[in-house]
């Protein structure tokens, strides 16, 4: 659970200006959005012996040969526009990466051998050609889950890899409000 209230201002101290683009699939822009606005399934703390903190998933279960993993998706989570986050958003995010390979920043559909991403109720199942445990950090922690109701329509759907995403809709603790070339102000979600 997130505490309510507060703002964070990210000042432009290095001299370059902010683009005010927050697309989580754009490596030039995602550092200002991922973790602030967009969240992963599980936070994996690289600096603390890979300790895991459930985020959008409350738990997961591998099959015996580690070629399939089932995530239980957290209920009661709203997108910052008020719509309800669901397991369908998670499956949509991974399938978007298959449909538009430029969004598959960690080569999950190629190198990791992902074969499917499906949702049923509050569960999301990811299946792979080979044991996928070595890729857990990438698909559980590094993939920012996006809303199907935003990325599945209009310009976002047509160009999910290059769409600017100037007003990002996420589940994270902050909302961008506002962004200027010199400062990004994140308001508590």
């Amino acid at each position: 659970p997130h505490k309510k209230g507060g703002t964070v201002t990210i000042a432009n101290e290095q001299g370059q200006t902010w683009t005010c683009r927050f697309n989580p699939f754009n490596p030039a822009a995602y550092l200002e959005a991922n973790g602030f606005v967009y969240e992963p399934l599980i936070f994996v703390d690289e600096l603390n012996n890979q300790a895991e903190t459930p985020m959008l998933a409350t738990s997961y279960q591998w099959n015996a040969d580690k070629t399939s993993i089932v995530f239980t998706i957290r209920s009661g989570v709203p997108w910052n526009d008020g719509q309800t986050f669901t397991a369908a958003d998670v499956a949509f995010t991974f399938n978007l990466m298959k449909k538009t390979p430029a969004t598959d920043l960690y080569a999950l559909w190629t190198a990791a051998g992902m074969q499917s991403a499906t949702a049923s109720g509050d569960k999301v199942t990811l299946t792979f050609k080979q044991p996928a445990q070595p890729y857990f950090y990438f698909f559980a922690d590094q993939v920012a889950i996006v809303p199907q109701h935003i990325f599945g329509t209009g310009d976002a759907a047509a160009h999910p890899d290059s769409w600017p995403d100037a007003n990002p809709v996420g589940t994270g603790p902050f909302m961008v409000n506002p962004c200027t070339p010199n400062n990004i102000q994140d308001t508590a979600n």
Side-chain angles (χ1 to χ4, degrees):
H2 305 295
K3 292 183 179 181
K4 295 190 183 252
T7 61
V8 173
T9 300
I10 304 171
N12 176 4
E13 305 228 348
Q14 296 179 347
Q16 81 275 11
T17 56
W18 299 116
T19 63
C20 294
R21 294 173 179 231
F22 300 95
N23 187 323
F25 300 116
N26 181 343
Y30 68 28
L31 291 177
E32 290 83 35
N34 293 4
F36 291 101
V37 177
Y38 294 108
E39 294 180 303
L41 296 171
I42 306 285
F43 172 69
V44 179
D45 189 344
E46 293 180 281
L47 302 176
N48 186 20
N49 200 29
Q50 307 299 313
E52 297 176 5
T53 302
M55 299 293 285
L56 294 176
T58 59
S59 62
Y60 62 87
Q61 181 69 47
W62 286 101
N63 68 349
D65 65 1
K66 307 281 198 257
T67 58
S68 179
I69 187 169
V70 178
F71 288 96
T72 300
I73 302 306
R74 188 173 303 281
S75 64
V77 175
W79 293 103
N80 66 22
D81 65 359
Q83 293 204 32
T84 302
F85 162 76
T86 69
D89 292 302
V90 177
F92 169 81
T93 299
F94 286 99
N95 286 311
L96 178 65
M97 294 162 45
K98 178 181 183 183
K99 181 181 170 189
T100 308
T103 63
D104 187 3
L105 302 177
Y106 305 99
L108 297 174
W109 287 94
T110 53
M114 186 178 281
Q115 298 207 293
S116 68
T118 58
S120 179
D122 68 346
K123 308 281 191 216
V124 171
T125 303
L126 305 180
T127 60
F128 299 84
K129 289 187 238 189
Q130 68 235 4
Q133 192 169 20
Y135 300 99
F136 180 82
Y137 171 76
F138 298 104
F139 62 77
D141 179 278
Q142 293 294 289
V143 172
I145 305 303
V146 299
Q148 182 173 1
H149 70 277
I150 301 292
F151 276 82
T153 62
D155 289 341
H159 304 285
D161 54 332
S162 61
W163 181 60
D165 197 13
N167 298 298
V169 173
T171 57
F174 293 100
M175 297 183 296
V176 175
N177 181 25
C179 177
T180 68
N182 293 313
N183 292 297
I184 301 171
Q185 183 170 305
D186 288 334
T187 304
N189 179 14

